Amino acid sequence: MAKFKYIIPVLVLSSFLGITAATGVTNGAGINLENPLISVAAPSATRTYMNVNPLDMVNNPSFYLNKYVRIKAKFDKYSTLGLDYKPAMKSSEDYISFLIQRPDVLDHNVPLSELKIFIKRTEAEKHIDLDAGDEIEFSGKVFSNALGDVWMDAEQFKVLSTKAKTEKK
């Protein structure tokens, strides 16, 4: 009888582990039909991005939280601004941030530092030769409004035009 005392808990534990380790069969709604308690990634849907003015975003960061946005702007520079900040964590090992120029200042290059934009380092390295004033378009998700600022991931990044490069002597 003492042998059976241990068999039942072992069977329960092994069946539980077997169910949670199974990938399961899903339906079109992304529900695991074998075990509905196991989360399954929902089917990918086409995202709709809102074209936005970056000044509107920084003036109302709460409105844009968890929204997908597209911005056309003038590139300012790559930066480490906002990296490794725990409430809106983006690791400096995987990401770099970049700044755009304030669209309301035309006679100086002034960065819009209230907009923290993160891009994967592997993508940024493809555009390492960008200069201040080059026209870009990027889109992504606003994932935080920590410190009252807008924090977003740039999931897509395009260079629209570059300023004429002058030779350095």
Side-chain angles (χ1 to χ4, degrees):
M1 199 64 160
K3 290 181 185 179
F4 294 113
K5 180 176 166 182
Y6 297 106
I7 291 177
I8 292 175
V10 168
L11 287 175
V12 169
L13 181 61
S14 65
S15 67
F16 174 74
L17 292 175
I19 290 172
T20 58
T23 56
V25 178
T26 63
N27 64 7
I31 298 171
N32 185 323
L33 298 176
E34 290 180 358
N35 185 350
L37 298 177
I38 298 174
S39 63
V40 177
S44 62
T46 304
R47 289 196 179 119
T48 303
Y49 294 91
M50 301 182 338
N51 291 320
V52 298
N53 179 324
L55 292 177
D56 292 341
M57 291 177 63
V58 299
N59 289 331
N60 194 359
S62 296
F63 175 80
Y64 292 96
L65 184 60
N66 296 317
K67 299 229 171 59
Y68 291 91
V69 298
R70 179 178 296 117
I71 299 171
K72 285 185 182 178
K74 289 186 178 183
F75 180 83
D76 191 64
K77 64 182 149 246
Y78 288 106
S79 171
T80 58
L81 184 66
L83 291 170
D84 299 320
Y85 177 63
K86 290 196 188 292
M89 184 62 178
K90 290 295 175 185
S91 168
S92 59
E93 291 180 15
D94 301 323
Y95 291 89
I96 189 78
S97 59
F98 67 91
L99 296 168
I100 60 172
Q101 294 178 357
R102 291 188 68 91
D104 57 344
V105 178
L106 303 176
D107 58 345
H108 293 70
N109 288 345
V110 179
L112 185 62
S113 60
E114 303 92 332
L115 177 56
K116 292 9 177 218
I117 313 160
F118 301 93
I119 188 170
K120 291 212 178 252
R121 283 187 177 271
T122 53
E123 181 64 21
E125 288 168 0
K126 296 175 189 174
H127 309 287
I128 199 71
D129 58 345
L130 283 174
D131 287 325
D134 290 347
E135 302 259 345
I136 60 171
E137 179 181 86
F138 55 96
S139 49
K141 183 178 181 182
V142 176
F143 67 89
S144 178
N145 60 1
L147 301 174
D149 289 345
V150 177
W151 300 66
M152 76 172 283
D153 277 322
E155 300 166 347
Q156 299 168 4
F157 187 92
K158 277 196 280 190
V159 177
L160 300 177
S161 66
T162 57
K163 294 175 17 176
K165 309 287 185 215
T166 57
E167 284 189 39
K168 296 180 182 177
K169 295 183 180 183

